[in-house]
Amino acid sequence: MKKNQILPILGAILGAIIFSIPWVLIYVYGGYILSILGATIAYGSLKFYKMFGGVPSKSTPYIIAISSIASMTLATLVIIPLLEVAKEGYGISFELVKYLYNTEEFLTAIITDYIVSIIFTILGISGIIAKLKKEVSTKEN
């Protein structure tokens, strides 16, 4: 990997994380999944990829997809449980999150929400990738 490609990749990761924050906050403090926010994560990833000097190429869709899915996975399986525990007044506690994951009710709920979240993230990714492919093919011609 060339040195000049690292910064755009870090930008894509940062963009995906930043654009996942509203989704996490609505989930934790609003009590529901706002699917459109899950779909915007890929948009944020691409936006920051370009802001950090990335030029769309054939590898860009993979970078955006991996960044978006990784961000949604981190948000759903780690950040949300931590915030749920903190919201209940226990502070940030990985021990309590570990306890939650050992309860069938929580595990079923979080896996169901994760599946829904990934579906909407993939829908967002597919729209962004379609635009990217068109952009890259236009530049090549």
Side-chain angles (χ1 to χ4, degrees):
M1 179 181 306
K2 295 179 184 176
K3 188 175 183 178
N4 61 349
Q5 290 176 327
I6 294 173
L7 196 56
I9 291 171
L10 291 175
I13 294 166
L14 180 63
I17 291 169
I18 289 171
F19 273 67
S20 70
I21 292 170
W23 183 86
V24 168
L25 294 175
I26 294 292
Y27 183 102
V28 172
Y29 298 104
Y32 59 95
I33 296 174
L34 190 55
S35 57
I36 191 68
L37 292 177
T40 63
I41 293 170
Y43 170 79
S45 183
L46 179 60
K47 181 96 172 146
F48 275 68
Y49 174 83
K50 289 180 177 180
M51 280 177 39
F52 280 64
V55 177
S57 66
K58 290 182 180 181
S59 64
T60 306
Y62 299 106
I63 294 166
I64 302 307
I66 291 168
S67 298
S68 300
I69 291 171
S71 174
M72 181 55 72
T73 300
L74 176 68
T76 304
L77 301 179
V78 178
I79 304 301
I80 286 173
L82 281 171
L83 290 177
E84 290 287 354
V85 167
K87 185 175 81 170
E88 295 300 320
Y90 297 106
I92 303 293
S93 170
F94 283 101
E95 285 299 315
L96 286 176
V97 169
K98 194 169 129 181
Y99 171 78
L100 284 175
Y101 271 103
N102 286 321
T103 64
E104 188 176 333
E105 182 181 348
F106 176 80
L107 191 57
T108 301
I110 201 76
I111 295 299
T112 302
D113 291 346
Y114 177 65
I115 291 168
V116 170
S117 303
I118 289 296
I119 289 169
F120 285 107
T121 302
I122 290 171
L123 288 172
I125 292 169
S126 63
I128 295 297
I129 288 175
K131 286 182 180 180
L132 268 173
K133 286 183 178 180
K134 188 175 182 180
E135 186 178 336
V136 169
S137 70
T138 303
K139 285 183 180 182
E140 289 177 350
N141 293 330

